[in-house]
PDB file of all heavy atoms in Angstrom:
ATOM      1  N   GLY A 113     118.677 130.502 121.257  1.00  0.00           N
ATOM      2  CA  GLY A 113     117.499 130.067 121.977  1.00  0.00           C
ATOM      3  C   GLY A 113     116.717 128.962 121.343  1.00  0.00           C
ATOM      4  O   GLY A 113     116.240 128.013 122.027  1.00  0.00           O
ATOM      5  N   ALA A 114     116.609 128.971 120.012  1.00  0.00           N
ATOM      6  CA  ALA A 114     115.716 127.997 119.327  1.00  0.00           C
ATOM      7  C   ALA A 114     116.317 126.608 119.130  1.00  0.00           C
ATOM      8  O   ALA A 114     115.651 125.618 119.404  1.00  0.00           O
ATOM      9  CB  ALA A 114     115.292 128.579 118.002  1.00  0.00           C
ATOM     10  N   ILE A 115     117.544 126.544 118.609  1.00  0.00           N
ATOM     11  CA  ILE A 115     118.092 125.247 118.297  1.00  0.00           C
ATOM     12  C   ILE A 115     118.297 124.346 119.524  1.00  0.00           C
ATOM     13  O   ILE A 115     117.856 123.193 119.517  1.00  0.00           O
ATOM     14  CB  ILE A 115     119.361 125.370 117.426  1.00  0.00           C
ATOM     15  CG1 ILE A 115     119.024 126.026 116.069  1.00  0.00           C
ATOM     16  CG2 ILE A 115     120.028 124.025 117.242  1.00  0.00           C
ATOM     17  CD1 ILE A 115     120.213 126.210 115.141  1.00  0.00           C
ATOM     18  N   PRO A 116     118.928 124.845 120.611  1.00  0.00           N
ATOM     19  CA  PRO A 116     119.061 123.999 121.800  1.00  0.00           C
ATOM     20  C   PRO A 116     117.711 123.597 122.351  1.00  0.00           C
ATOM     21  O   PRO A 116     117.516 122.485 122.791  1.00  0.00           O
ATOM     22  CB  PRO A 116     119.805 124.816 122.777  1.00  0.00           C
ATOM     23  CG  PRO A 116     120.591 125.793 121.877  1.00  0.00           C
ATOM     24  CD  PRO A 116     119.682 126.134 120.765  1.00  0.00           C
ATOM     25  N   ALA A 117     116.756 124.535 122.325  1.00  0.00           N
ATOM     26  CA  ALA A 117     115.429 124.226 122.848  1.00  0.00           C
ATOM     27  C   ALA A 117     114.700 123.192 122.028  1.00  0.00           C
ATOM     28  O   ALA A 117     114.011 122.325 122.569  1.00  0.00           O
ATOM     29  CB  ALA A 117     114.557 125.507 122.940  1.00  0.00           C
ATOM     30  N   ALA A 118     114.904 123.274 120.709  1.00  0.00           N
ATOM     31  CA  ALA A 118     114.280 122.280 119.820  1.00  0.00           C
ATOM     32  C   ALA A 118     114.842 120.885 120.072  1.00  0.00           C
ATOM     33  O   ALA A 118     114.101 119.896 120.080  1.00  0.00           O
ATOM     34  CB  ALA A 118     114.495 122.668 118.348  1.00  0.00           C
ATOM     35  N   ARG A 119     116.115 120.833 120.313  1.00  0.00           N
ATOM     36  CA  ARG A 119     116.727 119.503 120.608  1.00  0.00           C
ATOM     37  C   ARG A 119     116.300 118.996 121.965  1.00  0.00           C
ATOM     38  O   ARG A 119     116.002 117.830 122.159  1.00  0.00           O
ATOM     39  CB  ARG A 119     118.286 119.642 120.512  1.00  0.00           C
ATOM     40  CG  ARG A 119     119.019 118.364 120.806  1.00  0.00           C
ATOM     41  CD  ARG A 119     118.676 117.300 119.734  1.00  0.00           C
ATOM     42  NE  ARG A 119     119.572 116.144 119.791  1.00  0.00           N
ATOM     43  CZ  ARG A 119     119.456 115.087 119.107  1.00  0.00           C
ATOM     44  NH1 ARG A 119     118.473 114.969 118.200  1.00  0.00           N
ATOM     45  NH2 ARG A 119     120.294 114.068 119.202  1.00  0.00           N
ATOM     46  N   LEU A 120     116.326 119.916 122.958  1.00  0.00           N
ATOM     47  CA  LEU A 120     115.962 119.509 124.316  1.00  0.00           C
ATOM     48  C   LEU A 120     114.515 118.991 124.383  1.00  0.00           C
ATOM     49  O   LEU A 120     114.227 117.973 125.021  1.00  0.00           O
ATOM     50  CB  LEU A 120     116.139 120.693 125.240  1.00  0.00           C
ATOM     51  CG  LEU A 120     115.732 120.466 126.714  1.00  0.00           C
ATOM     52  CD1 LEU A 120     116.596 119.388 127.347  1.00  0.00           C
ATOM     53  CD2 LEU A 120     115.860 121.758 127.554  1.00  0.00           C
ATOM     54  N   TYR A 121     113.617 119.692 123.697  1.00  0.00           N
ATOM     55  CA  TYR A 121     112.222 119.298 123.622  1.00  0.00           C
ATOM     56  C   TYR A 121     112.106 117.856 123.084  1.00  0.00           C
ATOM     57  O   TYR A 121     111.400 117.010 123.658  1.00  0.00           O
ATOM     58  CB  TYR A 121     111.478 120.228 122.738  1.00  0.00           C
ATOM     59  CG  TYR A 121     109.985 120.098 122.627  1.00  0.00           C
ATOM     60  CD1 TYR A 121     109.113 120.934 123.350  1.00  0.00           C
ATOM     61  CD2 TYR A 121     109.421 119.095 121.811  1.00  0.00           C
ATOM     62  CE1 TYR A 121     107.730 120.785 123.244  1.00  0.00           C
ATOM     63  CE2 TYR A 121     108.042 118.961 121.722  1.00  0.00           C
ATOM     64  CZ  TYR A 121     107.195 119.836 122.451  1.00  0.00           C
ATOM     65  OH  TYR A 121     105.842 119.703 122.336  1.00  0.00           O
ATOM     66  N   TYR A 122     112.806 117.542 121.988  1.00  0.00           N
ATOM     67  CA  TYR A 122     112.804 116.255 121.401  1.00  0.00           C
ATOM     68  C   TYR A 122     113.385 115.192 122.334  1.00  0.00           C
ATOM     69  O   TYR A 122     112.793 114.128 122.523  1.00  0.00           O
ATOM     70  CB  TYR A 122     113.565 116.292 120.066  1.00  0.00           C
ATOM     71  CG  TYR A 122     113.555 114.978 119.329  1.00  0.00           C
ATOM     72  CD1 TYR A 122     112.515 114.624 118.472  1.00  0.00           C
ATOM     73  CD2 TYR A 122     114.594 114.050 119.468  1.00  0.00           C
ATOM     74  CE1 TYR A 122     112.503 113.419 117.870  1.00  0.00           C
ATOM     75  CE2 TYR A 122     114.616 112.832 118.797  1.00  0.00           C
ATOM     76  CZ  TYR A 122     113.577 112.520 117.950  1.00  0.00           C
ATOM     77  OH  TYR A 122     113.513 111.333 117.334  1.00  0.00           O
ATOM     78  N   VAL A 123     114.513 115.479 122.908  1.00  0.00           N
ATOM     79  CA  VAL A 123     115.209 114.520 123.795  1.00  0.00           C
ATOM     80  C   VAL A 123     114.372 114.130 124.995  1.00  0.00           C
ATOM     81  O   VAL A 123     114.296 113.009 125.434  1.00  0.00           O
ATOM     82  CB  VAL A 123     116.585 115.043 124.207  1.00  0.00           C
ATOM     83  CG1 VAL A 123     117.184 114.180 125.314  1.00  0.00           C
ATOM     84  CG2 VAL A 123     117.532 115.083 123.015  1.00  0.00           C
ATOM     85  N   ILE A 124     113.709 115.159 125.570  1.00  0.00           N
ATOM     86  CA  ILE A 124     112.846 114.909 126.762  1.00  0.00           C
ATOM     87  C   ILE A 124     111.749 113.829 126.475  1.00  0.00           C
ATOM     88  O   ILE A 124     111.591 112.965 127.233  1.00  0.00           O
ATOM     89  CB  ILE A 124     112.210 116.230 127.228  1.00  0.00           C
ATOM     90  CG1 ILE A 124     113.235 117.125 127.874  1.00  0.00           C
ATOM     91  CG2 ILE A 124     111.042 115.975 128.229  1.00  0.00           C
ATOM     92  CD1 ILE A 124     112.726 118.525 128.262  1.00  0.00           C
ATOM     93  N   PHE A 125     111.125 114.005 125.312  1.00  0.00           N
ATOM     94  CA  PHE A 125     110.029 113.079 124.957  1.00  0.00           C
ATOM     95  C   PHE A 125     110.571 111.746 124.342  1.00  0.00           C
ATOM     96  O   PHE A 125     109.782 110.844 124.122  1.00  0.00           O
ATOM     97  CB  PHE A 125     109.060 113.746 124.037  1.00  0.00           C
ATOM     98  CG  PHE A 125     108.224 114.796 124.707  1.00  0.00           C
ATOM     99  CD1 PHE A 125     108.497 116.145 124.566  1.00  0.00           C
ATOM    100  CD2 PHE A 125     107.166 114.437 125.534  1.00  0.00           C
ATOM    101  CE1 PHE A 125     107.734 117.096 125.248  1.00  0.00           C
ATOM    102  CE2 PHE A 125     106.372 115.351 126.156  1.00  0.00           C
ATOM    103  CZ  PHE A 125     106.709 116.702 126.045  1.00  0.00           C
ATOM    104  N   GLU A 126     111.821 111.707 124.009  1.00  0.00           N
ATOM    105  CA  GLU A 126     112.426 110.484 123.509  1.00  0.00           C
ATOM    106  C   GLU A 126     113.587 110.013 124.381  1.00  0.00           C
ATOM    107  O   GLU A 126     114.544 109.413 123.895  1.00  0.00           O
ATOM    108  CB  GLU A 126     112.975 110.745 122.067  1.00  0.00           C
ATOM    109  CG  GLU A 126     111.898 110.934 120.984  1.00  0.00           C
ATOM    110  CD  GLU A 126     111.207 109.638 120.634  1.00  0.00           C
ATOM    111  OE1 GLU A 126     111.896 108.622 120.339  1.00  0.00           O
ATOM    112  OE2 GLU A 126     109.959 109.621 120.734  1.00  0.00           O
ATOM    113  N   TRP A 127     113.410 110.253 125.707  1.00  0.00           N
ATOM    114  CA  TRP A 127     114.500 110.006 126.638  1.00  0.00           C
ATOM    115  C   TRP A 127     114.906 108.515 126.636  1.00  0.00           C
ATOM    116  O   TRP A 127     116.104 108.177 126.851  1.00  0.00           O
ATOM    117  CB  TRP A 127     114.126 110.403 128.035  1.00  0.00           C
ATOM    118  CG  TRP A 127     115.202 110.211 129.029  1.00  0.00           C
ATOM    119  CD1 TRP A 127     115.207 109.388 130.113  1.00  0.00           C
ATOM    120  CD2 TRP A 127     116.529 110.775 129.011  1.00  0.00           C
ATOM    121  NE1 TRP A 127     116.393 109.412 130.777  1.00  0.00           N
ATOM    122  CE2 TRP A 127     117.242 110.244 130.123  1.00  0.00           C
ATOM    123  CE3 TRP A 127     117.197 111.662 128.151  1.00  0.00           C
ATOM    124  CZ2 TRP A 127     118.561 110.607 130.442  1.00  0.00           C
ATOM    125  CZ3 TRP A 127     118.523 112.023 128.462  1.00  0.00           C
ATOM    126  CH2 TRP A 127     119.177 111.493 129.580  1.00  0.00           C
ATOM    127  N   SER A 128     113.978 107.621 126.424  1.00  0.00           N
ATOM    128  CA  SER A 128     114.291 106.199 126.423  1.00  0.00           C
ATOM    129  C   SER A 128     115.386 105.866 125.382  1.00  0.00           C
ATOM    130  O   SER A 128     116.089 104.926 125.497  1.00  0.00           O
ATOM    131  CB  SER A 128     113.065 105.364 126.161  1.00  0.00           C
ATOM    132  OG  SER A 128     112.468 105.695 124.949  1.00  0.00           O
ATOM    133  N   ARG A 129     115.426 106.628 124.270  1.00  0.00           N
ATOM    134  CA  ARG A 129     116.380 106.424 123.234  1.00  0.00           C
ATOM    135  C   ARG A 129     117.789 106.945 123.568  1.00  0.00           C
ATOM    136  O   ARG A 129     118.800 106.469 123.057  1.00  0.00           O
ATOM    137  CB  ARG A 129     115.966 107.091 121.894  1.00  0.00           C
ATOM    138  CG  ARG A 129     114.705 106.511 121.308  1.00  0.00           C
ATOM    139  CD  ARG A 129     114.318 107.300 120.036  1.00  0.00           C
ATOM    140  NE  ARG A 129     115.395 107.483 119.117  1.00  0.00           N
ATOM    141  CZ  ARG A 129     115.363 108.253 118.022  1.00  0.00           C
ATOM    142  NH1 ARG A 129     114.217 108.890 117.779  1.00  0.00           N
ATOM    143  NH2 ARG A 129     116.360 108.307 117.212  1.00  0.00           N
ATOM    144  N   TYR A 130     117.797 107.924 124.474  1.00  0.00           N
ATOM    145  CA  TYR A 130     119.099 108.569 124.800  1.00  0.00           C
ATOM    146  C   TYR A 130     119.624 108.260 126.156  1.00  0.00           C
ATOM    147  O   TYR A 130     120.794 108.570 126.470  1.00  0.00           O
ATOM    148  CB  TYR A 130     118.924 110.082 124.680  1.00  0.00           C
ATOM    149  CG  TYR A 130     118.613 110.539 123.254  1.00  0.00           C
ATOM    150  CD1 TYR A 130     117.298 110.815 122.851  1.00  0.00           C
ATOM    151  CD2 TYR A 130     119.605 110.737 122.313  1.00  0.00           C
ATOM    152  CE1 TYR A 130     116.999 111.216 121.568  1.00  0.00           C
ATOM    153  CE2 TYR A 130     119.314 111.071 121.026  1.00  0.00           C
ATOM    154  CZ  TYR A 130     118.016 111.347 120.652  1.00  0.00           C
ATOM    155  OH  TYR A 130     117.714 111.721 119.328  1.00  0.00           O
ATOM    156  N   ALA A 131     118.807 107.622 126.999  1.00  0.00           N
ATOM    157  CA  ALA A 131     119.258 107.320 128.370  1.00  0.00           C
ATOM    158  C   ALA A 131     120.512 106.416 128.374  1.00  0.00           C
ATOM    159  O   ALA A 131     121.418 106.618 129.194  1.00  0.00           O
ATOM    160  CB  ALA A 131     118.138 106.632 129.137  1.00  0.00           C
ATOM    161  N   GLN A 132     120.562 105.450 127.485  1.00  0.00           N
ATOM    162  CA  GLN A 132     121.677 104.546 127.425  1.00  0.00           C
ATOM    163  C   GLN A 132     122.839 105.059 126.591  1.00  0.00           C
ATOM    164  O   GLN A 132     123.985 104.548 126.652  1.00  0.00           O
ATOM    165  CB  GLN A 132     121.227 103.158 126.844  1.00  0.00           C
ATOM    166  CG  GLN A 132     120.097 102.507 127.618  1.00  0.00           C
ATOM    167  CD  GLN A 132     120.492 102.242 129.072  1.00  0.00           C
ATOM    168  OE1 GLN A 132     121.625 101.867 129.349  1.00  0.00           O
ATOM    169  NE2 GLN A 132     119.534 102.471 129.967  1.00  0.00           N
ATOM    170  N   ASN A 133     122.553 106.070 125.796  1.00  0.00           N
ATOM    171  CA  ASN A 133     123.611 106.684 124.951  1.00  0.00           C
ATOM    172  C   ASN A 133     123.549 108.193 124.996  1.00  0.00           C
ATOM    173  O   ASN A 133     123.235 108.891 124.049  1.00  0.00           O
ATOM    174  CB  ASN A 133     123.452 106.247 123.486  1.00  0.00           C
ATOM    175  CG  ASN A 133     123.495 104.737 123.300  1.00  0.00           C
ATOM    176  OD1 ASN A 133     124.570 104.152 123.372  1.00  0.00           O
ATOM    177  ND2 ASN A 133     122.328 104.103 123.085  1.00  0.00           N
ATOM    178  N   PRO A 134     123.851 108.778 126.158  1.00  0.00           N
ATOM    179  CA  PRO A 134     123.714 110.222 126.368  1.00  0.00           C
ATOM    180  C   PRO A 134     124.643 111.027 125.441  1.00  0.00           C
ATOM    181  O   PRO A 134     124.353 112.203 125.203  1.00  0.00           O
ATOM    182  CB  PRO A 134     124.092 110.403 127.841  1.00  0.00           C
ATOM    183  CG  PRO A 134     124.893 109.215 128.191  1.00  0.00           C
ATOM    184  CD  PRO A 134     124.307 108.099 127.386  1.00  0.00           C
ATOM    185  N   GLU A 135     125.689 110.421 124.918  1.00  0.00           N
ATOM    186  CA  GLU A 135     126.596 111.152 124.023  1.00  0.00           C
ATOM    187  C   GLU A 135     125.882 111.522 122.751  1.00  0.00           C
ATOM    188  O   GLU A 135     126.306 112.463 122.008  1.00  0.00           O
ATOM    189  CB  GLU A 135     127.850 110.327 123.714  1.00  0.00           C
ATOM    190  CG  GLU A 135     127.659 109.141 122.883  1.00  0.00           C
ATOM    191  CD  GLU A 135     127.156 107.901 123.652  1.00  0.00           C
ATOM    192  OE1 GLU A 135     126.947 108.042 124.862  1.00  0.00           O
ATOM    193  OE2 GLU A 135     126.976 106.820 123.040  1.00  0.00           O
ATOM    194  N   ARG A 136     124.816 110.859 122.426  1.00  0.00           N
ATOM    195  CA  ARG A 136     124.080 111.121 121.200  1.00  0.00           C
ATOM    196  C   ARG A 136     123.129 112.324 121.312  1.00  0.00           C
ATOM    197  O   ARG A 136     122.534 112.778 120.339  1.00  0.00           O
ATOM    198  CB  ARG A 136     123.276 109.934 120.741  1.00  0.00           C
ATOM    199  CG  ARG A 136     124.133 108.743 120.291  1.00  0.00           C
ATOM    200  CD  ARG A 136     123.293 107.606 119.829  1.00  0.00           C
ATOM    201  NE  ARG A 136     122.428 108.005 118.675  1.00  0.00           N
ATOM    202  CZ  ARG A 136     121.308 107.357 118.372  1.00  0.00           C
ATOM    203  NH1 ARG A 136     120.919 106.319 118.988  1.00  0.00           N
ATOM    204  NH2 ARG A 136     120.608 107.777 117.297  1.00  0.00           N
ATOM    205  N   ILE A 137     122.985 112.859 122.535  1.00  0.00           N
ATOM    206  CA  ILE A 137     122.091 113.963 122.761  1.00  0.00           C
ATOM    207  C   ILE A 137     122.535 115.144 121.932  1.00  0.00           C
ATOM    208  O   ILE A 137     121.658 115.896 121.414  1.00  0.00           O
ATOM    209  CB  ILE A 137     122.030 114.337 124.285  1.00  0.00           C
ATOM    210  CG1 ILE A 137     121.355 113.208 125.040  1.00  0.00           C
ATOM    211  CG2 ILE A 137     121.354 115.684 124.485  1.00  0.00           C
ATOM    212  CD1 ILE A 137     121.335 113.440 126.572  1.00  0.00           C
ATOM    213  N   ILE A 138     123.802 115.340 121.761  1.00  0.00           N
ATOM    214  CA  ILE A 138     124.308 116.513 121.023  1.00  0.00           C
ATOM    215  C   ILE A 138     124.412 116.243 119.533  1.00  0.00           C
ATOM    216  O   ILE A 138     124.696 117.139 118.730  1.00  0.00           O
ATOM    217  CB  ILE A 138     125.660 116.995 121.542  1.00  0.00           C
ATOM    218  CG1 ILE A 138     126.709 115.870 121.318  1.00  0.00           C
ATOM    219  CG2 ILE A 138     125.578 117.377 123.002  1.00  0.00           C
ATOM    220  CD1 ILE A 138     128.136 116.349 121.615  1.00  0.00           C
ATOM    221  N   ALA A 139     124.088 115.032 119.088  1.00  0.00           N
ATOM    222  CA  ALA A 139     124.215 114.674 117.691  1.00  0.00           C
ATOM    223  C   ALA A 139     123.034 115.191 116.853  1.00  0.00           C
ATOM    224  O   ALA A 139     122.255 114.411 116.237  1.00  0.00           O
ATOM    225  CB  ALA A 139     124.359 113.155 117.525  1.00  0.00           C
ATOM    226  N   ILE A 140     122.874 116.473 116.830  1.00  0.00           N
ATOM    227  CA  ILE A 140     121.702 117.094 116.173  1.00  0.00           C
ATOM    228  C   ILE A 140     121.797 116.873 114.674  1.00  0.00           C
ATOM    229  O   ILE A 140     120.758 116.950 113.950  1.00  0.00           O
ATOM    230  CB  ILE A 140     121.719 118.633 116.526  1.00  0.00           C
ATOM    231  CG1 ILE A 140     120.396 119.216 116.122  1.00  0.00           C
ATOM    232  CG2 ILE A 140     122.866 119.340 115.854  1.00  0.00           C
ATOM    233  CD1 ILE A 140     120.212 120.635 116.616  1.00  0.00           C
ATOM    234  N   TRP A 141     122.987 116.635 114.101  1.00  0.00           N
ATOM    235  CA  TRP A 141     123.095 116.391 112.645  1.00  0.00           C
ATOM    236  C   TRP A 141     122.425 115.111 112.275  1.00  0.00           C
ATOM    237  O   TRP A 141     122.202 114.893 111.069  1.00  0.00           O
ATOM    238  CB  TRP A 141     124.568 116.372 112.289  1.00  0.00           C
ATOM    239  CG  TRP A 141     125.394 115.402 113.075  1.00  0.00           C
ATOM    240  CD1 TRP A 141     125.580 114.039 112.816  1.00  0.00           C
ATOM    241  CD2 TRP A 141     126.099 115.681 114.314  1.00  0.00           C
ATOM    242  NE1 TRP A 141     126.334 113.458 113.804  1.00  0.00           N
ATOM    243  CE2 TRP A 141     126.668 114.456 114.681  1.00  0.00           C
ATOM    244  CE3 TRP A 141     126.292 116.810 115.057  1.00  0.00           C
ATOM    245  CZ2 TRP A 141     127.429 114.341 115.875  1.00  0.00           C
ATOM    246  CZ3 TRP A 141     127.050 116.693 116.205  1.00  0.00           C
ATOM    247  CH2 TRP A 141     127.608 115.483 116.613  1.00  0.00           C
ATOM    248  N   GLU A 142     122.114 114.246 113.195  1.00  0.00           N
ATOM    249  CA  GLU A 142     121.411 112.981 112.880  1.00  0.00           C
ATOM    250  C   GLU A 142     119.899 113.196 112.763  1.00  0.00           C
ATOM    251  O   GLU A 142     119.151 112.256 112.423  1.00  0.00           O
ATOM    252  CB  GLU A 142     121.687 111.926 113.933  1.00  0.00           C
ATOM    253  CG  GLU A 142     123.154 111.503 114.004  1.00  0.00           C
ATOM    254  CD  GLU A 142     123.391 110.460 115.115  1.00  0.00           C
ATOM    255  OE1 GLU A 142     122.442 110.168 115.856  1.00  0.00           O
ATOM    256  OE2 GLU A 142     124.522 110.016 115.207  1.00  0.00           O
ATOM    257  N   GLY A 143     119.450 114.436 113.031  1.00  0.00           N
ATOM    258  CA  GLY A 143     118.057 114.695 113.034  1.00  0.00           C
ATOM    259  C   GLY A 143     117.520 114.631 114.506  1.00  0.00           C
ATOM    260  O   GLY A 143     118.298 114.400 115.444  1.00  0.00           O
ATOM    261  N   GLY A 144     116.259 114.884 114.632  1.00  0.00           N
ATOM    262  CA  GLY A 144     115.700 114.878 116.025  1.00  0.00           C
ATOM    263  C   GLY A 144     115.637 116.185 116.689  1.00  0.00           C
ATOM    264  O   GLY A 144     116.182 116.458 117.761  1.00  0.00           O
ATOM    265  N   ILE A 145     114.944 117.178 116.010  1.00  0.00           N
ATOM    266  CA  ILE A 145     114.629 118.437 116.640  1.00  0.00           C
ATOM    267  C   ILE A 145     113.132 118.674 116.458  1.00  0.00           C
ATOM    268  O   ILE A 145     112.548 118.197 115.503  1.00  0.00           O
ATOM    269  CB  ILE A 145     115.451 119.617 116.070  1.00  0.00           C
ATOM    270  CG1 ILE A 145     115.221 119.774 114.546  1.00  0.00           C
ATOM    271  CG2 ILE A 145     116.954 119.460 116.338  1.00  0.00           C
ATOM    272  CD1 ILE A 145     115.918 121.041 113.976  1.00  0.00           C
ATOM    273  N   ALA A 146     112.558 119.351 117.394  1.00  0.00           N
ATOM    274  CA  ALA A 146     111.127 119.604 117.392  1.00  0.00           C
ATOM    275  C   ALA A 146     110.819 121.050 117.202  1.00  0.00           C
ATOM    276  O   ALA A 146     111.330 121.924 117.969  1.00  0.00           O
ATOM    277  CB  ALA A 146     110.512 119.108 118.737  1.00  0.00           C
ATOM    278  N   ILE A 147     110.041 121.351 116.191  1.00  0.00           N
ATOM    279  CA  ILE A 147     109.780 122.780 115.854  1.00  0.00           C
ATOM    280  C   ILE A 147     109.007 123.505 116.980  1.00  0.00           C
ATOM    281  O   ILE A 147     109.278 124.681 117.206  1.00  0.00           O
ATOM    282  CB  ILE A 147     108.952 122.852 114.518  1.00  0.00           C
ATOM    283  CG1 ILE A 147     108.784 124.315 114.121  1.00  0.00           C
ATOM    284  CG2 ILE A 147     107.575 122.194 114.704  1.00  0.00           C
ATOM    285  CD1 ILE A 147     110.057 125.073 113.904  1.00  0.00           C
ATOM    286  N   HIS A 148     108.211 122.763 117.704  1.00  0.00           N
ATOM    287  CA  HIS A 148     107.549 123.452 118.860  1.00  0.00           C
ATOM    288  C   HIS A 148     108.548 123.853 119.933  1.00  0.00           C
ATOM    289  O   HIS A 148     108.385 124.907 120.539  1.00  0.00           O
ATOM    290  CB  HIS A 148     106.463 122.500 119.449  1.00  0.00           C
ATOM    291  CG  HIS A 148     105.218 122.478 118.591  1.00  0.00           C
ATOM    292  ND1 HIS A 148     104.625 121.316 118.205  1.00  0.00           N
ATOM    293  CD2 HIS A 148     104.501 123.471 117.970  1.00  0.00           C
ATOM    294  CE1 HIS A 148     103.584 121.566 117.486  1.00  0.00           C
ATOM    295  NE2 HIS A 148     103.479 122.869 117.319  1.00  0.00           N
ATOM    296  N   GLY A 149     109.567 123.085 120.141  1.00  0.00           N
ATOM    297  CA  GLY A 149     110.620 123.469 121.029  1.00  0.00           C
ATOM    298  C   GLY A 149     111.362 124.673 120.534  1.00  0.00           C
ATOM    299  O   GLY A 149     111.699 125.584 121.293  1.00  0.00           O
ATOM    300  N   ALA A 150     111.573 124.719 119.201  1.00  0.00           N
ATOM    301  CA  ALA A 150     112.259 125.891 118.634  1.00  0.00           C
ATOM    302  C   ALA A 150     111.450 127.150 118.750  1.00  0.00           C
ATOM    303  O   ALA A 150     111.945 128.228 119.054  1.00  0.00           O
ATOM    304  CB  ALA A 150     112.532 125.613 117.170  1.00  0.00           C
ATOM    305  N   ILE A 151     110.141 126.998 118.567  1.00  0.00           N
ATOM    306  CA  ILE A 151     109.206 128.171 118.729  1.00  0.00           C
ATOM    307  C   ILE A 151     109.230 128.682 120.136  1.00  0.00           C
ATOM    308  O   ILE A 151     109.314 129.931 120.376  1.00  0.00           O
ATOM    309  CB  ILE A 151     107.794 127.790 118.268  1.00  0.00           C
ATOM    310  CG1 ILE A 151     107.796 127.503 116.765  1.00  0.00           C
ATOM    311  CG2 ILE A 151     106.845 128.918 118.610  1.00  0.00           C
ATOM    312  CD1 ILE A 151     106.465 126.935 116.287  1.00  0.00           C
ATOM    313  N   ILE A 152     109.163 127.753 121.093  1.00  0.00           N
ATOM    314  CA  ILE A 152     109.153 128.190 122.507  1.00  0.00           C
ATOM    315  C   ILE A 152     110.504 128.878 122.860  1.00  0.00           C
ATOM    316  O   ILE A 152     110.555 129.956 123.474  1.00  0.00           O
ATOM    317  CB  ILE A 152     108.947 126.978 123.425  1.00  0.00           C
ATOM    318  CG1 ILE A 152     107.501 126.422 123.215  1.00  0.00           C
ATOM    319  CG2 ILE A 152     109.200 127.295 124.894  1.00  0.00           C
ATOM    320  CD1 ILE A 152     107.298 125.090 123.898  1.00  0.00           C
TER     321      ILE A 152
END
């Protein structure tokens, strides 16, 4: 529940960075997770 939500939360608010490179959405090892998304 937490890790995908943390990534999704981050990607939603940084969509301009991922719109042109959607394959990077799953590149969680590069960083880019939001603790509030994980808590939710």
Side-chain angles (χ1 to χ4, degrees):
I115 294 181
R119 182 61 169 176
L120 178 62
Y121 186 103
Y122 181 85
V123 169
I124 288 174
F125 288 101
E126 289 287 306
W127 181 243
S128 60
R129 293 177 52 186
Y130 296 98
Q132 302 300 321
N133 300 286
E135 69 278 0
R136 293 183 58 201
I137 292 176
I138 63 172
I140 194 172
W141 54 86
E142 296 179 356
I145 59 176
I147 186 58
H148 284 131
I151 294 171
I152 294 170

